């Protein structure tokens, strides 16, 4: 029974927060304390940062902000996400609550009801609206930034900070983040730039997570059940498996038969643990892995489906589906198969039959009807959306996915299986981090459905249970800024605020905030070192003379003698000069008054400590100097380049934009300067629509490390080749200019996808284009949509004839599977 004092406190809280109380009562679940705290902070007029585990229900706080906006006549709320797939999903969810008329979607290539009171968008779209001072921002009261920890992304992270800094002061910000270890630091920065911000951190999963290791046919607990996860004490049985190098576990048949027979509701709810008594025959050398179909069947018997198997390779995901299908596994009933076919056919009805054949549609649909699917970035977006929908409806039971599935999509499972704890990062196989482990296993456990979620690690040769336990229990994943000024950012800031205020704004970034905080720590170290140096100076005082001078000569002599011994390949003149200096120092030391001091070596020991600490202190001072004003210094270098190219002009100390600079304000992306210069010089004027599409693709495309350049023979002929050569020469000149101003420059132009994009824009069939591109359909669609984004910018900012050509190119590229949209 609830304590009377607690009931009174709840009643008082409800009275003080009527909107939160009414909202909470309308939800399907009772709100958790962190959700209630977030709603209360918003109702009190504060911004809020909520950091909580995957699947904990952070978005409830964002949805409450939308609820508050809709209670205020004319008020608007924007909901931003890092990915179009997330935006599409949230758009559909909000439409179900508020109706189609009140909800809009803006994702760059999709514009639905953009002036609605609730608009879901990618973060880049909101950034562009802020710089353009869009009229649609009028009435904006709340902005929800979902997955705000994306600001650590080195390619796109800066956009989050730009939005946070530039939002109007009266807009309340709801920042939703995965669990990070420096949430308070990030919250302090938000408090500085956005005003009063409540920081709410929860590390409690709404559905507890059970961690297992799959050894042959047995699911053994990772942690000792008696010790509890908090102690991170590893199950000693796993340690024996490792130390004996090859125990084999025998399945407990009686337990299996009981569970598979469906005897009793309790058996259905209880996961199968198997027999925990190892048999250790002396002739066994290794623990055999059971194959995937057996793992799927084991999870099915143990009532641990639906499950997501994370496999860090697209090819591996597709191969896994085929392997399980070939084994004859079928996880669906006749009614479920009929429902799956109806949904699949409905969702893909706008795709052409010949394209469906190229995409392997019929085999894919058969796999879905068996309850199996792959999910990765190479999958056609339309197919990915179908997999997500069927999994959410509990029709697909097993998904083999790459880690992209762990990034925000609402696809929780009862069980997550990790076949390996390492992945290929583009250069080498590396162990996954504790943050990645938490993100992946965070998909396990469906709120309101499962009593607990399950993470299953498959035993592999060399697996260290202690290391797995450390990975599972560690809670250190800091959020670090990746912010850096760009040319587009610079011209927009100068135009709105002037150069000096722009510098001040950049110094308010989270990047500079973190750098300044680190400077505080370094300055403390310098202060402590200075105090120690004073003591060392006193300890080496000599009544015969200046021992500091004597010690300096001794150190120089020691350094030169070491260099002389190790650097025997130096030119003879260098060696002679070095030897001359050594002899001079020896004579000076012998003549120095401190040389005859009876306590000379005692003083020398203190002097050695003094010089070592002095060197370290000087290094710390250098670090302080390099971190102070870092972001503003980069901005100054960018402005110097813009001045040299006449995008900005300086007159009487006032920096302003030229007409070319005004054009650059509306060019976004990694190649902003190259695109602006190409337009200004007219080097794309002779291109036709297909040629401009191919060139735009070359500017956005990022090849895989092992991709070879196609060579000029594979590229479109005619005006394209001349335009490409001129663009490449321009890139070289700009790169040289950036290097002169100590800026990092950019990657060279990648033409690997240009022939395929040229063919696609000329109407070629999908099978020919995918063969030319040598890539999965999903990858081609992704690059095509990025090409569309750039063509769309050109259609708006370029002068004729490029603007006209860009509009034709847009229509040519936006067709077939590229044009498909489920919303």
């Amino acid at each position: 029974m609830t304590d009377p004092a607690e009931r009174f406190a709840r009643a008082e809280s409800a009275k003080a927060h009527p909107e939160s109380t009414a909202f909470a009562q309308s939800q399907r679940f009772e709100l958790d304390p962190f959700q209630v705290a977030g709603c209360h902070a918003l109702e009190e007029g504060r911004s809020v940062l909520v950091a909580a585990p995957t699947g904990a229900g952070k978005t409830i706080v964002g949805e409450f902000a939308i609820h508050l906006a809709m209670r205020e006549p004319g008020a608007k709320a924007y909901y931003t996400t890092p990915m179009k797939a997330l935006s599409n999903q949230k758009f559909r969810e909000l439409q179900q609550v508020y109706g189609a008329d009140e909800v809009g979607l803006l994702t760059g290539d999709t514009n639905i009801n953009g002036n609605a009171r609730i608009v879901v968008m990618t973060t880049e779209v909101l950034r562009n609206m802020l710089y353009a001072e869009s009229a649609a921002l009028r009435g904006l009261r709340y902005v929800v930034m979902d997955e705000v920890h994306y600001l650590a992304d080195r390619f796109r992270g800066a956009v989050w900070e730009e939005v946070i800094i530039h939002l109007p002061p009266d807009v309340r910000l709801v920042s939703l983040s995965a669990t990070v270890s420096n949430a308070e630091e990030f919250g302090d920065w938000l408090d500085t730039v956005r005003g009063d911000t409540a920081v709410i951190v929860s590390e409690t999963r709404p559905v507890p997570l059970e961690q297992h290791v799959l050894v042959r046919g047995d699911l053994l607990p990772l942690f000792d059940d008696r010790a509890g996860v908090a102690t991170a004490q590893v199950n000693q049985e796993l340690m024996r498996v490792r130390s004996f190098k090859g125990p084999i576990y025998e399945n407990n048949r009686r337990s299996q038969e009981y569970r598979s027979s469906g005897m009793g509701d309790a058996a259905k709810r209880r996961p199968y643990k198997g027999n925990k008594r190892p048999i250790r025959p002396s002739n066994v050398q290794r623990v055999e892995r059971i194959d995937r179909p057996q793992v799927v069947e084991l999870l099915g018997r143990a009532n641990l489906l639906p499950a997501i198997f994370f496999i860090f390779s697209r090819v591996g995901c597709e191969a896994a589906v085929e392997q399980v299908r070939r084994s004859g596994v079928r996880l669906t009933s006749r009614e479920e198969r009929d429902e799956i076919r109806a949904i699949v056919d409905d969702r893909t009805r706008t795709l052409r039959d010949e394209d469906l054949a190229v995409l392997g549609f019929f085999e894919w649909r058969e796999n879905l009807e068996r309850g199996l699917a792959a999910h990765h970035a190479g999958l056609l977006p339309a197919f990915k959306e179908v997999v997500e929908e069927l999994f959410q409806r509990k029709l697909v039971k097993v998904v083999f996915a790459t880690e992209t599935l762990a990034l925000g999509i609402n696809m929780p499972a009862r069980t997550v299986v990790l076949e390996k704890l390492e992945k290929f990062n583009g250069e080498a196989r590396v162990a996954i981090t504790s943050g990645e482990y938490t993100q992946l296993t965070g998909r396990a456990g469906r709120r309101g459905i499962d009593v607990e979620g399950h993470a299953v690690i498959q035993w592999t040769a060399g697996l260290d249970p202690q290391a797995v336990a450390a990975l599972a229990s560690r809670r250190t994943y800091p959020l670090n800024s990746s912010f850096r000024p760009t040319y587009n950012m610079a011209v927009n800031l100068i135009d709105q605020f002037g150069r000096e205020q722009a510098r001040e704004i950049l110094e308010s970034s989270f990047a500079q905030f973190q750098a300044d905080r680190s400077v505080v720590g370094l300055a403390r170290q310098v202060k402590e070192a200075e105090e120690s140096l004073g003591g060392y100076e006193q300890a080496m005082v000599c009544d015969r003379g200046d021992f500091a001078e004597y010690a300096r000569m001794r150190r120089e002599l020691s350094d030169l003698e070491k260099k002389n011994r190790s650097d025997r390949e130096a030119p003879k003149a260098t060696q002679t000069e070095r030897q001359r200096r050594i002899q001079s120092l020896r004579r000076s030391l012998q003549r120095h008054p401190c040389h005859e001091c009876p306590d000379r070596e005692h003083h020398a020991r203190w002097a050695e400590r003094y010089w070592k600490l002095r060197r370290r202190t000087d290094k710390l001072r250098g670090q302080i100097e390099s971190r102070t004003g870092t972001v503003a210094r980069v901005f100054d270098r960018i402005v110097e380049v813009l001045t040299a190219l006449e995008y900005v002009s300086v007159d009487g100390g006032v920096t302003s934009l030229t007409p070319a600079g005004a054009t650059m304000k509306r060019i976004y992306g990694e190649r902003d300067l190259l695109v602006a210069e190409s337009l200004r010089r007219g080097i794309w004027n002779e291109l036709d629509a297909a040629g401009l599409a191919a060139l735009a693709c070359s500017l956005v495309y990022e090849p895989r490390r092992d991709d070879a350049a196609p060579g000029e023979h594979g590229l479109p002929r005619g005006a394209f080749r001349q335009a490409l050569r001129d663009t490449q020469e321009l890139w070289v000149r700009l790169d040289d200019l950036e290097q002169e101003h100590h800026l990092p420059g950019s990657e060279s132009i990648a033409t690997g996808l240009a022939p395929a994009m040229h063919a696609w824009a000329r109407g070629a069939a999908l099978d020919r284009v995918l063969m030319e591109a040598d890539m999965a359909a999903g990858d081609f669609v992704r690059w095509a949509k990025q090409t569309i984004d750039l063509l769309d910018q050109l259609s708006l900012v370029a002068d004729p004839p490029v603007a006209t050509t860009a509009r034709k190119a847009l229509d040519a590229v936006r067709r077939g599977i590229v044009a498909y949209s489920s919303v």
Side-chain angles (χ1 to χ4, degrees):
M1 191 169 176
T2 310
D3 181 86
E6 190 179 330
R7 286 203 305 272
F8 178 76
R10 283 186 185 175
E12 288 299 299
S13 177
K15 199 183 302 179
H17 303 96
E19 290 292 348
S20 301
T21 303
F23 178 76
Q25 289 170 349
S26 71
Q27 301 303 303
R28 290 184 299 129
F29 310 116
E30 183 179 351
L31 297 193
D32 290 335
F34 84 90
Q35 295 169 323
V36 172
C39 293
H40 284 182
L42 284 171
E43 190 169 356
E44 291 161 9
R46 307 166 72 192
S47 291
V48 65
L49 165 64
V50 180
T54 301
K58 296 182 289 291
T59 56
I60 282 287
V61 182
E63 288 163 13
F64 179 64
I66 294 170
H67 168 83
L68 288 177
M70 297 304 284
R71 301 279 291 175
E72 181 184 340
K76 292 182 179 179
Y78 288 171
Y79 195 108
T80 75
T81 78
M83 294 179 292
K84 292 175 182 177
L86 264 178
S87 294
N88 292 343
Q89 189 176 74
K90 203 68 201 174
F91 171 68
R92 288 190 289 265
E93 289 175 7
L94 290 170
Q95 275 190 323
Q96 290 171 6
V97 177
Y98 294 102
D101 291 344
E102 296 287 12
V103 186
L105 177 69
L106 297 173
T107 62
D109 59 347
T110 304
N111 185 337
I112 301 172
N113 200 16
N115 288 314
R117 291 181 62 194
I118 305 166
V119 185
V120 183
M121 61 185 70
T122 52
T123 318
E124 282 84 354
V125 169
L126 179 53
R127 185 271 312 270
N128 299 352
M129 290 172 70
L130 288 166
Y131 279 150
E133 298 179 298
S134 169
L137 295 168
R138 281 199 289 272
L140 183 61
R141 293 290 178 270
Y142 296 91
V143 167
V144 181
M145 299 194 80
D146 202 354
E147 309 283 339
V148 76
H149 51 273
Y150 255 81
L151 68 76
D153 184 87
R154 70 189 181 96
F155 296 110
R156 300 172 56 208
V159 176
W160 274 256
E161 290 192 48
E162 288 179 82
V163 168
I164 292 168
I165 291 168
H166 295 306
L167 276 173
D170 59 337
V171 173
R172 297 296 90 193
L173 185 67
V174 183
S175 303
L176 307 177
S177 171
T179 308
V180 291
S181 53
N182 62 333
E184 286 77 12
E185 178 188 43
F186 184 51
D188 286 348
W189 174 69
L190 288 172
D191 208 67
T192 302
V193 294
R194 299 299 319 159
D196 190 6
T197 301
V199 178
I200 296 160
V201 178
S202 173
E203 293 199 27
T204 304
R205 285 175 48 94
V207 181
L209 182 66
E210 293 287 323
Q211 316 242 14
H212 315 274
V213 178
L214 177 59
V215 184
R216 194 169 168 81
D218 277 335
L219 290 172
L220 300 183
L222 173 59
F223 295 102
D224 189 330
D225 292 339
R226 293 162 299 179
V229 176
T231 63
Q233 186 172 331
V234 178
N235 182 354
Q236 289 306 299
E237 202 159 339
L238 288 172
M239 298 307 294
R240 288 195 292 273
V241 172
R242 185 170 189 249
S243 62
F244 276 88
K245 297 183 179 176
I248 290 185
Y249 284 78
E250 186 179 70
N251 290 341
N252 183 330
R253 287 193 180 87
R254 186 180 301 167
S255 180
Q256 266 193 52
E257 289 163 3
Y258 178 73
R259 284 173 172 77
S260 60
S261 69
M263 294 167 60
D265 292 337
K268 291 181 183 178
R269 288 195 300 270
R270 201 165 54 246
Y272 164 57
K273 301 285 186 180
N275 181 5
K276 295 185 182 179
R277 292 169 299 170
I279 300 173
R280 297 188 182 88
S282 58
N283 62 337
V284 174
Q285 296 301 312
R286 62 192 176 88
V287 176
E288 295 179 15
R289 284 168 63 101
I290 62 174
D291 61 23
R292 289 191 187 107
Q294 289 175 289
V295 177
V296 170
E297 288 176 337
L298 183 151
L299 295 177
R301 288 194 303 271
N303 197 29
L304 293 180
L305 296 179
I308 299 170
F309 286 66
F310 281 110
I311 300 173
F312 302 114
S313 146
R314 299 176 183 185
V315 173
C317 291
E318 296 289 350
V321 173
E322 288 307 301
Q323 182 188 7
V324 178
R325 183 178 69 85
R326 284 196 306 271
S327 74
V329 169
R330 189 185 295 279
L331 304 171
T332 52
S333 65
R334 164 57 60 190
E335 293 75 17
E336 287 174 327
R337 290 195 287 278
D338 290 343
E339 189 177 351
I340 288 168
R341 178 168 286 233
I343 291 170
V344 170
D345 290 349
D346 178 66
R347 301 296 182 269
T348 57
R349 69 185 184 280
T350 59
L351 296 173
R352 302 191 314 173
D353 289 345
E354 53 266 43
D355 289 348
L356 291 176
V358 172
L359 296 166
F361 168 81
F362 301 102
E363 187 177 275
W364 172 73
R365 186 177 64 184
E366 184 192 338
N367 290 334
L368 291 175
E369 289 176 11
R370 287 176 175 270
L372 307 169
H375 189 288
H376 53 74
L379 206 61
L380 188 70
F383 286 13
K384 255 197 304 194
E385 290 168 13
V386 169
V387 170
E388 290 160 11
E389 181 179 353
L390 293 177
F391 194 79
Q392 288 162 8
R393 290 187 179 211
K394 310 187 194 78
L395 295 170
V396 164
K397 320 291 185 181
V398 172
V399 170
F400 296 95
T402 57
E403 68 266 41
T404 54
L405 178 59
L407 302 175
I409 299 290
N410 181 26
M411 272 183 69
R414 175 164 294 173
T415 304
V416 162
V417 180
L418 299 182
E419 294 191 348
K420 292 180 180 175
L421 295 176
E422 61 176 24
K423 65 177 184 176
F424 187 69
N425 67 356
E427 295 177 349
R429 298 208 71 81
V430 297
I432 64 172
T433 66
S434 57
E436 288 168 332
Y437 182 91
T438 302
Q439 190 85 357
L440 296 168
T441 57
R443 293 276 146 219
R446 299 163 300 173
R447 188 167 188 169
I449 302 173
D450 299 320
V451 177
E452 58 194 12
H454 298 268
V456 176
I457 314 302
Q458 271 202 278
W459 184 275
T460 56
L463 185 78
D464 180 2
Q466 294 278 18
V468 179
L471 199 64
S473 55
R474 193 175 298 129
R475 292 289 179 269
T476 54
Y477 3 98
L479 179 62
N480 292 316
S481 172
S482 60
F483 184 81
R484 58 185 176 82
T486 64
Y487 295 104
N488 169 272
M489 189 191 303
V491 294
N492 273 291
L493 288 174
I494 289 169
D495 188 50
Q496 285 191 36
F497 306 106
R499 181 171 180 173
E500 287 311 308
Q501 194 177 343
R503 284 181 103 258
E504 291 173 13
I505 288 169
L506 291 172
E507 286 182 333
S508 70
S509 66
F510 187 45
Q512 193 59 56
F513 185 83
Q514 288 191 306
D516 290 344
R517 283 213 162 180
S518 69
V519 164
V520 171
L522 292 172
R524 189 181 302 114
Q525 291 180 51
V526 168
K527 185 173 182 294
E528 291 168 358
E530 292 285 4
E531 292 171 1
S532 298
L533 286 170
Y536 294 169
E537 278 185 299
Q538 288 297 318
M540 68 179 180
V541 168
C542 177
D543 58 5
R544 301 287 181 101
D546 185 353
F547 201 90
E549 179 187 53
Y550 180 76
R552 182 188 57 74
M553 289 192 292
R554 273 179 57 138
R555 173 167 282 280
E556 185 183 353
L557 176 62
S558 175
D559 289 346
L560 284 170
E561 286 175 335
K562 281 181 189 172
K563 195 174 285 186
N564 218 25
R565 287 193 297 271
S566 62
D567 189 16
R568 299 190 181 281
E569 302 299 319
K572 190 167 182 61
T574 302
Q575 291 188 40
T576 302
E577 175 59 29
R578 196 183 290 153
Q579 196 61 44
R580 187 195 63 75
R581 179 60 180 158
I582 287 171
Q583 294 302 329
S584 171
L585 282 168
R586 284 175 178 165
R587 288 193 297 271
S588 297
L589 281 170
Q590 288 169 357
R591 291 197 296 265
H592 198 283
C594 293
H595 192 65
E596 300 300 328
C597 176
D599 295 325
R600 183 185 69 191
E601 292 311 310
H602 173 74
H603 296 324
R605 281 194 294 274
W606 284 107
E608 186 63 23
R609 292 175 188 172
Y610 175 88
W611 288 111
K612 278 184 180 175
L613 187 56
R614 172 57 68 192
R615 276 185 178 177
R616 194 163 70 85
T617 307
D618 289 344
K619 191 175 179 181
L620 289 172
R621 282 205 178 93
Q623 290 177 12
I624 289 172
E625 190 176 332
S626 68
R627 295 183 192 188
T628 304
T630 312
V631 178
R633 274 204 303 277
V634 174
F635 171 73
D636 288 338
R637 292 169 190 161
I638 284 174
V639 174
E640 287 169 9
V641 170
L642 291 171
T643 305
L645 294 170
E646 299 181 348
Y647 284 89
V648 301
S649 62
V650 181
D651 185 11
V654 177
T655 305
S656 57
L657 302 190
T658 64
T663 298
M664 184 182 278
K665 280 177 59 183
R666 294 184 291 161
I667 299 172
Y668 303 96
E670 292 288 310
R671 305 278 191 187
D672 47 8
L673 183 60
L674 180 60
V675 170
E677 274 293 278
S678 298
L679 291 177
R680 187 160 67 155
R681 293 166 185 256
I683 59 181
W684 299 342
N685 287 1
E686 302 304 316
L687 290 170
D688 61 9
L692 186 58
L695 197 78
C697 177
S698 301
L699 296 180
V700 299
Y701 178 57
E702 296 170 14
R704 296 189 301 266
R705 293 173 189 274
D706 53 349
D707 281 357
E712 199 165 275
H713 67 277
L715 296 172
R717 297 181 179 278
F720 175 85
R721 292 200 183 183
Q722 185 59 51
L724 176 63
R725 279 194 289 270
D726 291 344
T727 307
Q728 287 171 325
E729 288 172 10
L730 177 58
W731 172 80
V732 170
R733 289 198 295 275
L734 293 177
D735 194 62
D736 288 344
L737 182 63
E738 288 176 315
Q739 300 288 344
E740 287 171 21
H741 287 85
H742 307 290
L743 291 168
S746 58
E747 294 293 323
S748 57
I749 297 167
T751 57
L753 193 54
M757 192 60 66
H758 188 266
W760 178 255
R762 293 187 66 185
L766 179 63
D767 57 346
R768 181 194 151 190
V769 170
L770 293 182
M771 190 177 299
E772 176 76 59
D774 188 26
M775 64 173 54
D779 290 324
F780 178 76
V781 169
R782 188 171 75 256
W783 293 120
K785 290 196 171 185
Q786 291 199 32
T787 301
I788 285 169
D789 284 346
L790 179 52
L791 289 171
D792 190 41
Q793 291 180 44
L794 296 179
S795 72
L796 297 172
V797 305
D799 294 325
V802 174
T804 307
T805 308
R807 284 190 282 275
K808 293 177 182 174
L810 275 170
D811 293 336
V813 175
R814 196 187 280 132
R815 67 179 181 88
I817 62 171
V818 176
Y820 172 88
S821 175
S822 64
V823 294

